[in-house]
Amino acid sequence: MSTMARASGLSRFLTLGLAAILLGGWTMTAQSGPPSGHLAEKPGKFVDVTTASGVHFEGQAYHTAKKYLMETMGSGVALFDYDNDGRLDIFLANGAPLSDPTAPGTIPQKAGPKDWNRLYHQKQDGTFEDVTEKAGLAGAGYGMGVAVGDYDNDGYEDLYVTGYGGNHLYHNNGNGTFSDVTQASGTGGSGWSTSAAWVDLDNDGRLDLVVLRYLKWDFGDTWCGEHRDGYRMYCHPDLFQPIAPLVYHNDGDGRFTEVAAKIGLDKPGKGLGIGIADYDRDGHTDIFIANDSMVEFLYHNRGNGTFEEVGLLQEVAVDGEGRTYAGMGVDFSDYNNDGLPDLIVSDLANQKYALYQNNGDGSFIYSSNLSGVAAATLLHSGWGLAFLDYDNDGWKDLIVAQGHDMDNIQLTFPNLRYKEPPLLMHNNNGKSLVDVSAASGEVFHEAWAGRGLSAGDIWNDGHMDVVVTTNGGPAYILRNELQTTNHWLGIKLVGHKSNRDGIGAEIKLSTSKGNQFVTVSTAGSYLSSSDKRAHFGLGSDAVAQSIEIRWPSGVVQTLKNIRGDRMLVVDEPSQPQGAK
């Protein structure tokens, strides 16, 4: 980045930086961010506590000479409280061996403990113990994604694990163990599945399941890249056909019925990330799907049990120049506190992460350039990501797991890297996002092949933490140790007429500084599932003036003068009411 650009403030960035990006002449190193006088104003402090926490996990990628696309995708992570002890636990999906070559029609299977999925239980002292065998979650096949949701409303969180060649639904037995109910439930699926989301599509009080599939794949020996040693590349997704997602309606008896075509959620895509929110404020939850190297999908919920794909119409299908990109991770959240869910989608280097600001009329505007996201991400590749308020100032910041998909990308693009540090951007009161990575801890100077990312308050201390998975490497637990006098409030919903997790509920919280909005969900990011509890930074206010909850059932609940700095459990009332 030039000295002139670095010395300028936001206005100069808009005139010089934007022009440089559009002309393709932006000159920055792979580690730099957008020019701003706010660079070190409000950095975070995330510390790698993986070793001290007792988590020892190595994701298996099994790189082969054939460069199978599956090798580079990584796997996901979930933060959830499986035993209802009030502490978040960690589940990590894992791959399986790939032979070299792998014959067409092969379904990879786990060969031993190093390939197992892993469940880590959080103990009272804040460290973790591996309870995988006891819980019955070692898994089978090539695991990739994970989705958390209480599908039978029994008060215990269940797990859905996606992968290649078949998915698995694990019912939480409530005694620390899980049962594989895939066959009985009818949720096994087929093909190559990636991210999944639990969401009540028809507001019947039961969570349904949307499962993305990546592309039509079979192992073969297609050579991509230069025909010389070391230069073979992973093939571009354009060489493969798209495939429709799977949508499982919860029938309420432990069984599910696949209904993608019936409800209009069957458009073939190359899905990697999924997010849910009511973008047009009509009272019905909509779905965004991040597709790889083709148009992105926005499914509008018609309110009658069916959906319509409107990505191009609402201007979220392509970037600001009308081009497709490698959509991977997604967050569907209101980052500027205007009460309207916005979208951010990660992608590969030279594409810029896509930030879409909600206009309030059902459409969006591509805001990557004006927000500072474009300059910070032009030379980076992102996967899992989350909007989270790391300093509790009342504005959602952004954290992204980064790393290219090509392990030899530097041979053809010397300015790019396979392994990259994570990205942390501070929210400047909804006006811009400022790269504060360099000043926010050593982890932002370490190069990883980042993939999955899950966010949550792991230690119930009011600080949002993250877990990041890497491709063919360890998982990292990043503890938020920022010292701040700002207050906070965590909210756990318990549905009764609505689904028990309250997924799809909207929470509006008001302080003296204004309003914040959260859609309750465990979906988002990339292949991962985050803490279902809503987190709010209260800034200098020790008390939230009001909280309004719009439950999926349609019930509206209002609470007044709620003390902060705690985890609040809110039960859904039988009818609209106020509470203290």
Side-chain angles (χ1 to χ4, degrees):
M1 184 183 300
S2 68
T3 303
M4 178 185 298
R6 184 179 294 277
S8 64
L10 180 59
S11 61
R12 194 155 193 166
F13 161 60
L14 296 179
T15 55
L16 296 179
L18 178 56
I21 292 173
L22 295 177
L23 291 172
W26 193 269
T27 54
M28 66 171 87
T29 68
Q31 307 300 321
S32 63
S36 174
H38 302 286
L39 183 60
E41 182 181 349
K42 292 185 178 180
K45 185 180 180 183
F46 285 85
V47 177
D48 178 3
V49 297
T50 311
T51 301
S53 71
V55 172
H56 306 287
F57 175 83
E58 194 83 10
Q60 301 302 316
Y62 291 100
H63 294 282
T64 70
K66 301 299 182 183
K67 293 280 187 179
Y68 297 121
L69 196 55
M70 195 174 301
E71 303 169 18
T72 194
M73 306 304 287
S75 56
V77 52
L79 282 172
F80 73 123
D81 181 7
Y82 79 91
D83 59 348
N84 289 345
D85 64 358
R87 298 185 293 270
L88 290 180
D89 310 299
I90 302 172
F91 176 85
L92 293 149
N94 208 349
L98 299 177
S99 55
D100 194 358
T102 301
T106 299
I107 305 298
Q109 297 297 328
K110 298 186 186 303
K114 73 174 183 177
D115 304 318
W116 286 358
N117 306 326
R118 293 285 173 176
L119 177 65
Y120 292 92
H121 172 254
Q122 186 179 166
K123 299 185 290 185
Q124 290 185 358
D125 64 0
T127 63
F128 292 83
E129 57 181 338
D130 188 334
V131 295
T132 306
E133 286 189 271
K134 175 184 175 182
L137 288 176
Y142 201 104
M144 289 196 66
V146 56
V148 174
D150 180 4
Y151 74 84
D152 58 352
N153 292 328
D154 67 353
Y156 291 92
E157 299 299 313
D158 308 299
L159 281 176
Y160 190 75
V161 181
T162 71
Y164 177 71
N167 308 316
H168 294 270
L169 177 60
Y170 296 97
H171 177 258
N172 189 331
N173 299 320
N175 60 0
T177 69
F178 291 76
S179 296
D180 188 334
V181 296
T182 308
Q183 184 172 358
S185 66
T187 56
S190 62
W192 183 350
S193 298
T194 55
S195 292
W198 290 102
V199 54
D200 187 354
L201 297 174
D202 55 0
N203 284 347
D204 63 357
R206 298 187 295 266
L207 290 176
D208 308 300
L209 182 62
V210 181
V211 184
L212 303 188
R213 291 190 288 182
Y214 185 33
L215 40 75
K216 293 183 179 180
W217 171 268
D218 201 356
F219 291 98
D221 192 9
T222 302
W223 187 293
C224 295
E226 297 183 44
H227 283 267
R228 54 176 173 150
D229 288 343
Y231 281 78
R232 185 169 183 169
M233 297 286 188
Y234 294 102
C235 290
H236 195 279
D238 285 353
L239 295 180
F240 306 93
Q241 293 299 309
I243 188 170
L246 299 166
V247 181
Y248 294 104
H249 177 264
N250 188 337
D251 297 332
D253 57 358
R255 289 195 56 81
F256 292 75
T257 301
E258 207 288 312
V259 295
K262 178 180 178 181
I263 67 174
L265 268 167
D266 61 338
K267 190 171 183 177
K270 297 177 181 178
L272 290 178
I274 184 169
I276 67 168
D278 178 10
Y279 76 89
D280 59 347
R281 320 304 303 128
D282 65 356
H284 304 289
T285 303
D286 309 299
I287 297 171
F288 180 85
I289 295 176
N291 286 315
D292 188 359
S293 303
M294 58 174 285
V295 293
E296 315 301 305
F297 291 164
L298 177 61
Y299 280 100
H300 176 250
N301 188 333
R302 291 190 175 110
N304 61 359
T306 67
F307 290 78
E308 177 187 13
E309 202 287 301
V310 295
L312 281 169
L313 179 66
Q314 307 301 0
E315 302 181 65
V316 295
V318 294
D319 69 12
E321 286 77 50
R323 298 174 298 197
T324 59
Y325 51 85
M328 295 188 288
V330 59
D331 199 352
F332 207 163
S333 299
D334 175 22
Y335 84 96
N336 59 355
N337 291 351
D338 63 358
L340 303 169
D342 308 296
L343 279 162
I344 189 162
V345 186
S346 58
D347 52 30
L348 291 179
N350 294 324
Q351 295 180 341
K352 302 170 289 187
Y353 304 166
L355 178 64
Y356 301 96
Q357 184 173 314
N358 194 323
N359 291 324
D361 59 1
S363 69
F364 294 76
I365 184 171
Y366 183 82
S367 299
S368 298
N369 296 323
L370 296 180
S371 65
V373 168
T377 65
L378 179 60
L379 296 183
H380 298 280
S381 301
W383 301 75
L385 76 172
F387 277 119
L388 54 82
D389 186 357
Y390 68 76
D391 57 353
N392 289 331
D393 67 351
W395 297 91
K396 299 178 186 69
D397 312 298
L398 178 66
I399 190 166
V400 189
Q402 300 190 128
H404 208 277
D405 63 337
M406 299 283 187
D407 55 3
N408 55 359
I409 188 63
Q410 197 170 347
L411 292 177
T412 49
F413 293 90
N415 61 328
L416 303 182
R417 299 292 183 271
Y418 172 59
K419 294 185 176 182
E420 299 184 62
L423 171 71
L424 185 67
M425 301 193 77
H426 184 262
N427 189 333
N428 180 26
N429 297 333
K431 301 173 184 177
S432 63
L433 291 163
V434 180
D435 186 350
V436 294
S437 306
S440 296
E442 290 301 317
V443 297
F444 297 99
H445 298 268
E446 298 179 8
W448 306 335
R451 295 297 186 263
L453 183 148
S454 178
D457 185 353
I458 296 177
W459 291 279
N460 295 330
D461 59 2
H463 297 283
M464 290 295 286
D465 314 290
V466 296
V467 180
V468 175
T469 65
T470 62
N471 192 45
Y476 293 94
I477 302 176
L478 307 184
R479 181 163 188 163
N480 183 350
E481 296 187 355
L482 182 67
Q483 298 296 313
T484 176
T485 58
N486 289 333
H487 300 279
W488 60 277
L489 182 67
I491 301 178
K492 175 185 176 181
L493 299 187
V494 180
H496 295 288
K497 184 178 181 182
S498 303
N499 68 86
R500 190 171 179 88
D501 287 331
I503 288 175
E506 297 176 330
I507 305 176
K508 173 185 174 182
L509 181 142
S510 301
T511 69
S512 64
K513 303 298 190 300
N515 302 322
Q516 300 174 53
F517 301 82
V518 167
T519 300
V520 175
S521 175
T522 61
S525 191
Y526 169 77
L527 303 180
S528 299
S529 188
S530 290
D531 188 354
K532 69 178 181 180
R533 300 172 301 179
H535 176 89
F536 295 90
L538 304 183
S540 59
D541 290 13
V543 174
Q545 294 177 346
S546 67
I547 298 171
E548 180 181 278
I549 303 168
R550 294 182 176 269
W551 294 85
S553 64
V555 169
V556 178
Q557 182 178 12
T558 303
L559 302 94
K560 298 287 188 180
N561 300 321
I562 301 301
R563 175 175 53 85
D565 300 320
R566 58 172 174 150
M567 290 290 178
L568 177 69
V569 178
V570 181
D571 279 84
E572 179 182 18
S574 58
Q575 57 186 3
Q577 64 181 53
K580 294 183 179 180

